[in-house]
Amino acid sequence: MPYPRKRVWIIGSVILAACVAVAGAGVAYTSGTSFCLSCHEMRVYQEEMRLSSHAADAKGQPIGCSQCHIPSGNVVRMLGAKAWLGVKDLWVHTTEGGTDLDRAAMQPIARRFTDDANCRACHQDLARNAKNDGPVSEVGRLAHENYEGKNGQARSGCVGCHRNLAHLPVFDERIPTNQKFAQKIKEIRP
């Protein structure tokens, strides 16, 4: 005796809704900073972040990992980034033990998954400096106008120019614009 169609649709809809709810809860849980820091190799990033100019937002709230590293503008891109980065991080954690990470190799991947929309959520006015207490430099103004397509076409996004704002690997400490941040980092590194 076949099931009535109405019952099949109801049961199917309930199962689908349950799957969507569980998936949503999983995405929310794995997007939390506490989840990211549950792996010991990520703790170096926590310390660097704590000392950076990006430790807190304009309201004084701590900035979480997903605010920068998970694309926020597109659900498909967000899920793709979470899947790719999650599998990659899990692989490194289980096969290499997460020690002595090759941060130079990791930087291009991390930058690829740092959406401009995430940066622009806090930095909306590109004519103002990061502290919002004055205009950007002339070089900054020209670069931002290029980024906005006013005087040419930008070849890179925000993190193409603005590097090492929240994390500073040892090999980038030598760059003059990183000196203040590098000094703070040296105080915590063994």
Side-chain angles (χ1 to χ4, degrees):
M1 172 181 229
Y3 286 99
R5 284 188 176 182
K6 186 175 182 180
R7 185 179 291 172
V8 171
W9 279 104
I10 291 171
I11 292 171
S13 296
V14 168
I15 290 171
L16 179 64
C19 289
V20 168
V22 168
V27 166
Y29 175 72
T30 60
S31 294
T33 298
S34 61
F35 179 80
C36 297
L37 297 176
S38 66
C39 293
H40 65 277
E41 60 266 17
M42 292 297 156
R43 293 196 185 115
V44 66
Y45 299 110
Q46 178 187 29
E47 284 302 306
E48 291 173 357
M49 180 72 168
R50 185 180 62 79
L51 297 171
S52 79
S53 60
H54 282 81
D57 62 18
K59 297 175 185 173
Q61 299 298 314
I63 294 177
C65 302
S66 65
Q67 283 177 265
C68 298
H69 295 289
I70 301 297
S72 60
N74 178 319
V75 173
V76 173
R77 187 157 152 64
M78 181 266 294
L79 292 174
K82 285 191 68 60
W84 169 258
L85 295 172
V87 168
K88 179 190 67 64
D89 290 346
L90 184 62
W91 177 261
V92 169
H93 180 76
T94 56
T95 62
E96 299 174 20
T99 56
D100 198 26
L101 298 174
D102 183 358
R103 292 181 72 179
M106 292 168 59
Q107 273 189 342
I109 296 167
R111 287 190 182 111
R112 193 172 90 212
F113 288 107
T114 303
D115 257 12
D116 288 355
N118 295 14
C119 301
R120 298 295 304 272
C122 296
H123 302 283
Q124 296 166 358
D125 186 357
L126 298 182
R128 307 287 294 167
N129 64 22
K131 292 181 181 179
N132 207 24
D133 62 2
V136 295
S137 68
E138 182 63 16
V139 171
R141 182 186 68 75
L142 291 171
H144 288 160
E145 285 179 0
N146 184 261
Y147 168 79
E148 293 175 322
K150 294 179 182 174
N151 65 356
Q153 186 64 36
R155 293 184 302 192
S156 68
C158 301
V159 294
C161 296
H162 299 278
R163 297 177 178 202
N164 306 315
L165 297 173
H167 308 293
L168 186 60
V170 172
F171 58 84
D172 278 345
E173 289 179 358
R174 62 178 167 54
I175 299 171
T177 56
N178 294 334
Q179 291 305 309
K180 190 175 178 183
F181 190 13
Q183 187 57 42
K184 289 181 184 179
I185 296 292
K186 284 179 183 174
E187 294 170 9
I188 65 161
R189 285 200 177 125

